[in-house]
Amino acid sequence: MEVRASPREYDGTFVTTQFGAENVKRAARDEYRKLIDKHDSEDVLVLTGAPTSTDAFRDTLDEVLPGAATPYVTSPVVHATDVLNQTDDRVVLSDALRRELRHRFLADYEWETEYLRQASEQSSFIEDVDRVMDTISWQNISPEETPELREITAALDAFHNWLAEHDHIERGQLISEALDVLTGDDYNDIVDINAVLAVEFEEFFPLDRAYLDALTGDCDLVCIAEDDASVRRTWVETGAITDYVSFSESQRASGVQPSTRPAATAAYFAEETVVDDPNTGSVSVLAADSGDDQLATIANEIEELIEQEGWGYDDIAVATKQSGSTVTETIESFERSGIPTESATITGFGDDPAIRELLAVARHLAADDDNEVPDHGLELDTDRLARVGEMDQLEDAIRWWATDSGLKERIAERETSLDARSQFGNVRRAFRMAAFLDDTAFLDATWESFEEMLERAHEYASQQNQTSATDLDGGVRVDHLQAIKNTSFKAVFLINLTDSEYPGDPFLTRLFPTERVASMPDYPGVTDLSDTDVDQTFPTDSTASSRPFVQYHAEHARRCLAIGAEAATERLYCCLYEYEDTALEERAQASRFLTAAYADLPWVTDAADPKITSEQAAEEFLLSRVDNALADVRRANSQDVTISLDEVEAELGEIQELLDKSGVRGEELRKALRARVEFANGEVRR
């Protein structure tokens, strides 16, 4: 059971607003307008609860500013980076470089507790302990009761000391290090602001709140918090934000009832409120047979929206519960369908053909002889490889390869502008990794070392990046739910709305069994809970469990759905599938939250059968017609069912006629159809 300290006291104004993105943005505009009436806009700092929200609030507040002025909007960690850049010469590691150095540090670390010694023999151990370290670092906490957590914290401190010896710092240290600067004597020489507006204040961690306190010594301060909307902070801290802060002045912003069906659905998920039908917008349940079919159905619906509504791809978002592999798999599926994508939390490093080429080069040059070079299907010019291998600097060598092999030109020629921009960014990351090895004295600047670094970056590409983001420009936004909070899209697809996902099982780490984590009072997350903690954090009461730990995380999953639904302005799609992608094809149950919404909200309806608008959907429909025809014939033979062979023959004849008119593409599909028929007859050929 957590013991709460006395509330942090602020000399400023605390504004609360009713749940709803439009209410938050309206309150932010009103309070910002008051501040710029008193101060120049460049003297008013706006802090958001997460880095992914800065663009959304910058656009919102830009409506208030006259002329060409731009609101000064950032997040605590980015502001802390600016503070340290003025006062500290240490190099701030990127997320990829931090993972690399921590991996190398932990590879030889000697653990003392028996549990961690045994766990360290598992292949996933370093990745698992790295994530726990990350959480501890960002929260700047010191677990005291659990021996394993104390040892992990000691290892983290040793890692930070090792970095300091080599003039490096990781991003998890930025806020705590900048906080020390702000509480020192040089504050006035570093910070030049007269007012601070903190939006998404319900998401500020304890360390964020301490940083805000130090930053606003003599400034006007206004903090805006949205009711029942915290998902980031409530993952590590129970209760409302008002349990942890007090202000010299408090006020309630005027709120309005949801004006669209997606907004009303979001309010239902967040607070179980049922309002009159707004009669604007739509909420559709989009069901498919399997998980893969679900993504194909979404892709087809996106293409229909683009064609029928005249929207752009960047008017649409697809949201997952978690970051990582689910986001990556969704992006890959859409790209195979020809749909451009973008993400604020995931790089395309893992599946980038340009990176695979550079990785193949590194593998060849790192191998002692030709027999050790793994075959990845890439033909590389041996003369060019020899020239690269003779160069002294890794960065010079890899840059020369990219230029001389025509890699840049090939990217520009074969990719769309959005994909090309993403691949150029990934290649630049590879250049920076090579330069880091060249310039870092305590690391070997060898091809073996570069291969190891590039391999690991390639392997962990799907992990969430804590502070950095890819360039967002023109594609369907694919991210986890927290990353789209307070953003706006004309259409939002919430995927995998099955009970195994929403609520799913509580999960905090692979390092310890869930049952043990649930009883750890000092784990850096919400664990040791009471019924009161659940009631004070969530107004909803879903069917989950009598155990507070399970109930808490069920309500948290429901709130995540509310945050995702809140981002849709016109159309909200609740997407699910009927069968799990397993050999047994177990039936997937619809999320209990969706089932309740379907019963309580009359505007939540089944989506109409989509038209075929994408090439992939057309191909799949064509192939499925053959599968269905063959299945009908087999069923007639075994189940005494009568079918019309004339109708089957006519339909297949129409397909053949269509293929005759489709040239080379038609011939490719004809081969696929022939393979389907042969496979159905038990004939297997390559």
Side-chain angles (χ1 to χ4, degrees), residues 283-286 301 305 491-495 571-575 607:
V283 181
S284 304
V285 178
L286 199 61
E301 185 71 19
L305 291 174
V492 172
F493 293 81
L494 306 178
I495 70 171
R571 297 197 185 192
L572 174 65
Y573 293 87
C574 299
C575 310

Side-chain angles (χ1 to χ4, degrees), residues 69-123:
T70 301
Y72 181 15
V73 183
T74 187
S75 65
V77 67
V78 176
H79 188 273
T81 305
D82 294 338
V83 169
L84 289 179
N85 283 339
Q86 300 177 58
T87 60
D88 200 315
D89 293 332
R90 285 177 292 178
V91 175
V92 180
L93 297 173
S94 68
D95 294 307
L97 292 178
R98 184 268 305 162
R99 277 196 296 266
E100 176 65 25
L101 291 186
R102 194 179 283 177
H103 189 100
R104 297 191 184 206
F105 178 83
L106 292 175
D108 299 322
Y109 195 83
E110 296 291 335
W111 299 98
E112 296 181 3
T113 60
E114 181 63 21
Y115 182 88
L116 292 178
R117 276 204 306 273
Q118 292 183 2
S120 65
E121 298 176 2
Q122 303 299 317
S123 59

Side-chain angles (χ1 to χ4, degrees), residues 558-580:
R558 175 173 178 151
R559 182 173 286 181
C560 285
L561 283 181
I563 295 305
E566 193 182 32
T569 60
E570 297 186 29
R571 297 197 185 192
L572 174 65
Y573 293 87
C574 299
C575 310
L576 69 158
Y577 51 89
E578 296 185 20
Y579 297 97
E580 300 288 353

Side-chain angles (χ1 to χ4, degrees), residues 228-258:
D228 303 319
S230 173
V231 285
R232 181 174 177 261
R233 181 187 60 81
T234 50
W235 191 250
V236 301
E237 185 178 75
T238 63
I241 191 69
T242 49
D243 296 339
Y244 303 92
V245 295
S246 65
F247 285 79
S248 54
E249 181 181 348
S250 297
Q251 62 187 50
R252 182 74 173 171
S254 59
V256 297
Q257 291 294 318

